[in-house]
Amino acid sequence: DQQVKQNSPSLSVQEGRISILNCDYTNSMFDYFLWYKKYPAEGPTFLISISSIKDKNEDGRFTVFLNKSAKHLSLHIVPSQPGDSAVYFCAASASGGTSYGKLTFGQGTILTVHP
Amino acid sequence: DGGITQSPKYLFRKEGQNVTLSCEQNLNHDAMYWYRQDPGQGLRLIYYSQIVNDFQKGDIAEGYSVSREKKESFPLTVTSAQKNPTAFYLCASSFRRGGGNQPQHFGDGTRLSIL
């Protein structure tokens, strides 16, 4: 049962344009969402997060949008740069209870930014 | 510099042997986690520990064991009972506060290959 899904295995964009990565979840108990960036043979690097009490969080070129009713979140990168080329994972957690601090990850989306 | 150190980066073992992967952190984080990544898949949780001398099974704990005798260390043993141990193993840590809604920070991983 895939509770966090990234339905696009890959995305290709031109440098300077916007990259939009999407993520859907099924567990209504999730209340904290994160995006990670990963290069080959390295560990994921935390990018940005959002709590379920918000619908938008911005950090520089990265903005995460949360639509709770649709159980959908997206990561916008603008402008996209070649150095952004990596695998992007979304993750979710539910606070409290036995799931305390436990992250559930999507399958990842490979972003390629062309010069 | 504070961070998470996983060693070794590459590990080769014969089938039927147990092998232990090291994870050390100097971030003063309370919680530590082990994930496994297979090609084309997201990260799957093996074990996690919220405090010293306590740990819980994740989604794919069969064939693995852990210990948490020190706050800084969370070694993972891949036993001979693990049917398909060849994978990329990632260790992470986080603070234990805010209802569990804290980003996890990752090491650079250990790639285990069974010969």
Side-chain angles (χ1 to χ4, degrees):
Chain A
D1 177 28
Q2 191 82 30
Q3 296 187 64
V4 178
K5 294 182 183 179
Q6 294 176 255
N7 292 317
S8 298
S10 63
L11 175 68
S12 182
V13 299
Q14 206 68 32
E15 180 179 6
R17 306 295 289 267
I18 186 170
S19 295
I20 300 176
L21 297 106
N22 294 301
C23 180
D24 297 296
Y25 62 96
T26 57
N27 189 341
S28 57
M29 299 301 291
F30 288 148
D31 58 3
Y32 183 60
F33 305 89
L34 309 89
W35 284 95
Y36 284 85
K37 172 181 177 179
K38 185 182 181 301
Y39 294 116
E42 292 184 10
T45 302
F46 169 69
L47 273 178
I48 192 169
S49 64
I50 187 167
S51 165
S52 59
I53 62 172
K54 295 186 175 181
D55 54 18
K56 176 183 174 182
N57 190 26
E58 195 171 351
D59 184 1
R61 296 185 298 115
F62 302 92
T63 302
V64 56
F65 295 91
L66 176 63
N67 182 334
K68 288 190 293 292
S69 61
K71 292 190 176 68
H72 176 83
L73 64 154
S74 61
L75 174 69
H76 292 211
I77 306 173
V78 56
S80 301
Q81 300 172 354
D84 295 330
S85 297
V87 180
Y88 288 78
F89 290 99
C90 72
S93 72
S95 60
T98 58
S99 298
Y100 192 107
K102 181 181 164 184
L103 287 180
T104 301
F105 283 83
Q107 311 95 305
T109 297
I110 302 170
L111 173 66
T112 305
V113 180
H114 298 284
Chain B
D1 275 4
I4 302 173
T5 302
Q6 289 187 244
S7 60
K9 195 160 181 67
Y10 299 95
L11 191 54
F12 299 90
R13 279 295 182 269
K14 290 184 180 178
E15 199 167 339
Q17 286 183 335
N18 290 356
V19 60
T20 298
L21 282 60
S22 169
C23 179
E24 304 277 333
Q25 56 97 1
N26 60 4
L27 299 166
N28 199 32
H29 284 168
D30 310 288
M32 297 186 74
Y33 311 81
W34 274 105
Y35 293 89
R36 168 185 172 135
Q37 186 188 16
D38 294 283
Q41 295 193 34
L43 282 65
R44 293 183 292 167
L45 182 65
I46 304 172
Y47 266 99
Y48 62 110
S49 167
Q50 295 171 8
I51 55 173
V52 175
N53 292 324
D54 184 57
F55 49 82
Q56 287 82 39
K57 291 182 180 180
D59 300 317
I60 54 165
E62 187 176 348
Y64 299 98
S65 66
V66 293
S67 63
R68 186 88 187 276
E69 296 175 3
K70 297 187 301 182
K71 186 175 183 178
E72 301 80 17
S73 178
F74 191 40
L76 173 74
T77 297
V78 185
T79 74
S80 57
Q82 169 48 235
K83 297 284 188 282
N84 185 19
T86 296
F88 189 51
Y89 290 87
L90 286 157
C91 178
S93 68
S94 69
F95 287 113
R96 186 178 182 270
R97 61 177 182 231
N101 289 346
Q102 296 291 325
Q104 293 178 18
H105 298 271
F106 286 81
D108 279 340
T110 292
R111 183 163 298 282
L112 174 63
S113 298
I114 301 299
L115 305 175

